[in-house]
């Protein structure tokens, strides 16, 4: 088995992720998640690795609880070094539905908000860290990263 060096933490621009193993995603999710209030907007097709990426973020935040996609619950809250709000907008059909959820209190609170399918409500997020996943092969992804990383990178 060939040992590969750990990838560098996220930085603006394209990042090629050649594996869907949680350990690899965790390496890319190595951010200093303090202070709270950061919004991570995840975009990309089904099966692109959005929830797996959230698992990496949760692991970096020392969250031991299993992370699952909140497709039906819309929001899952986890406690680690900071609160993690895992939000999934996949089943949301309109901006009116989003307004009824009153997500602003979570998104702009003291925790870290990670939003899957964030492209369904771009008006909701002010200056998020955007990670857009593209499936490039059965076990590889391209993640395009943009947003306020300078204050977040370890």
């Amino acid at each position: 088995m060939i040992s590969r060096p750990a990838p560098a933490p996220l930085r603006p621009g394209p990042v090629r992720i050649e594996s869907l193993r949680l350990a690899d995603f965790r390496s890319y999710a190595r951010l200093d998640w303090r202070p709270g209030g950061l919004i991570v907007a995840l975009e990309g097709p089904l099966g692109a690795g959005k929830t797996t990426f959230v698992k990496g973020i949760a692991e970096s935040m020392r969250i031991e609880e299993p992370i699952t996609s909140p497709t039906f619950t819309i929001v899952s809250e986890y406690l680690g070094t900071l609160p993690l709000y895992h939000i999934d907008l996949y089943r949301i059909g309109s901006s009116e539905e989003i307004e009824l959820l009153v997500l602003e209190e979570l998104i702009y609170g003291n925790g870290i908000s990670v939003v899957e399918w964030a492209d369904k409500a771009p008006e909701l997020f002010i200056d998020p860290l955007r990670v857009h996943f593209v499936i490039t092969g059965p076990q590889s992804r391209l993640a395009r990263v943009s947003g306020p990383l300078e204050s977040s990178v370890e």
Side-chain angles (χ1 to χ4, degrees), residues 4-119:
R4 292 183 295 160
L10 284 176
R11 301 215 185 275
V15 176
R16 184 164 300 277
I17 300 174
E18 296 293 342
S19 170
L20 294 182
R21 294 179 331 150
L22 178 58
D24 293 336
F25 271 71
R26 181 178 184 268
S27 295
Y28 286 106
R30 287 184 307 178
L31 299 179
D32 180 0
W33 297 106
R34 297 161 297 174
L38 181 66
I39 302 165
V40 182
L42 303 180
E43 304 166 348
L46 280 171
K50 295 181 294 293
T51 300
T52 302
F53 193 78
V54 176
K55 290 177 182 179
I57 291 172
E59 197 173 303
S60 294
M61 294 174 67
R62 295 184 178 89
I63 294 171
E64 296 178 9
E65 191 175 343
I67 305 298
T68 58
S69 180
T71 300
F72 294 101
T73 58
I74 311 295
V75 179
S76 294
E77 181 179 353
Y78 304 95
L79 295 177
T81 53
L82 288 171
L84 171 64
Y85 304 108
H86 184 191
I87 302 165
D88 190 325
L89 301 180
Y90 180 72
R91 298 206 176 274
I92 300 299
S94 68
S95 56
E96 290 80 24
E97 286 182 68
I98 292 172
E99 287 178 24
L100 291 173
L101 294 173
V102 193
L103 294 176
E104 290 87 357
E105 290 180 23
L106 295 179
I107 291 172
Y108 297 106
N110 293 324
I112 304 301
S113 297
V114 183
V115 185
E116 295 190 39
W117 301 96
D119 46 332

